[in-house]
Amino acid sequence: IGGFDAFVTDVRLPDGSGLDLLRRLRADASTRDIPALVISAEAAEGRGEALDVVDWLQKPIDLDRLRTAVHRAVNGHADSRRIEVLHVEDDADVHAVVRDALQERCTIRHADSVRAGRAALQLSRPDVMILDLGLGDGNGVELLGDLHDGDEQPVPVIVFSAQPLEDKALAASVDAVLTKSKTTLDQLARTVRKLAADADSKRRR
């Protein structure tokens, strides 16, 4: 089931129980955190278990509620905190498009140069940094050294640039390398959410 953004199951399946399948997913480290929705003919069926589901939907299904529940599953629970993102990008139009794509779940700060990015990092550490390479006053990779100070958890970095990151050592030091011409905004948003969630999980350990 790896690769799916959410899991939706009926309680009663032809060959068993959807709750049994959900228990197996929760027991497996690779699928433990997948958002899940449960559909049941009886409102209270199985609700007593601590299976951490986004919603329980009773038949007949309210399609508007189903759509809302799926949206919450894919984009995070409605009450989760906003993700702080620093976007270092000197093209104002690119930044505006990225900001619009991420603003539902993220608070976006913008820096248009290496110098501005460094100043922004001194003010506060973001949850995720999106980094362009070709900036007016240098290369965005110059900021990587500012993210690994002391014992703090490193800030996840997404290189999002039209330029390829050909240095293999640098590519290995960041969390994702996305090419603007080959990456959809949905892919970028999913990467931001995943890296922020992974970093948050590490901080709680």
Side-chain angles (χ1 to χ4, degrees):
I1 199 168
F4 290 102
D5 293 319
F7 172 68
V8 182
T9 184
D10 199 335
V11 170
R12 300 179 183 181
L13 301 174
D15 58 348
S17 167
L19 294 182
D20 288 339
L21 179 55
L22 181 54
R23 290 185 199 103
R24 288 168 57 191
L25 296 178
R26 291 289 180 251
D28 188 323
S30 65
T31 55
R32 180 176 298 148
D33 298 321
I34 187 171
L37 291 79
V38 175
I39 298 171
S40 172
E42 300 296 332
E45 191 173 9
R47 278 179 179 261
E49 287 196 63
L51 292 172
D52 188 21
V53 299
V54 176
D55 204 352
W56 295 77
L57 305 177
Q58 184 177 3
K59 295 178 179 179
I61 299 170
D62 181 332
L63 292 180
D64 285 336
R65 182 173 173 180
L66 175 61
R67 279 191 288 266
T68 299
V70 170
H71 180 80
R72 287 173 57 203
V74 173
N75 294 285
H77 294 282
D79 59 353
S80 62
R81 71 179 184 85
R82 294 181 67 79
I83 300 168
E84 298 284 338
V85 176
L86 174 60
H87 186 201
V88 184
E89 167 64 63
D90 62 354
D91 186 321
D93 292 333
V94 171
H95 169 68
V97 171
V98 170
R99 180 197 61 215
D100 290 345
L102 299 180
Q103 64 183 356
E104 182 177 344
R105 283 289 319 282
C106 303
T107 298
I108 314 294
R109 289 189 292 146
H110 180 217
D112 60 3
S113 65
V114 173
R115 181 178 179 181
R118 189 160 283 135
L121 289 171
Q122 290 175 349
L123 287 175
S124 64
R125 291 170 64 86
D127 295 310
V128 177
M129 184 165 75
I130 302 174
L131 186 62
D132 191 16
L133 296 179
L135 301 170
D137 61 345
N139 193 307
V141 298
E142 296 174 39
L143 293 171
L144 296 180
D146 295 67
L147 300 176
H148 303 276
D149 50 350
D151 296 326
E152 291 187 81
Q153 184 72 30
V155 174
V157 176
I158 301 169
V159 170
F160 185 56
S161 179
Q163 300 179 18
L165 184 54
E166 297 177 346
D167 187 314
K168 292 183 179 180
L170 282 175
S173 71
V174 300
D175 297 88
V177 179
L178 304 178
T179 304
K180 288 177 180 176
S181 61
K182 299 178 181 178
T183 304
T184 68
L185 292 173
D186 282 344
Q187 289 172 321
L188 176 63
R190 285 197 298 270
T191 304
V192 168
R193 290 195 297 269
K194 181 181 185 305
L195 292 178
D198 289 349
D200 192 47
S201 177
K202 290 177 182 178
R203 281 193 292 266
R204 294 178 182 180
R205 289 176 185 172

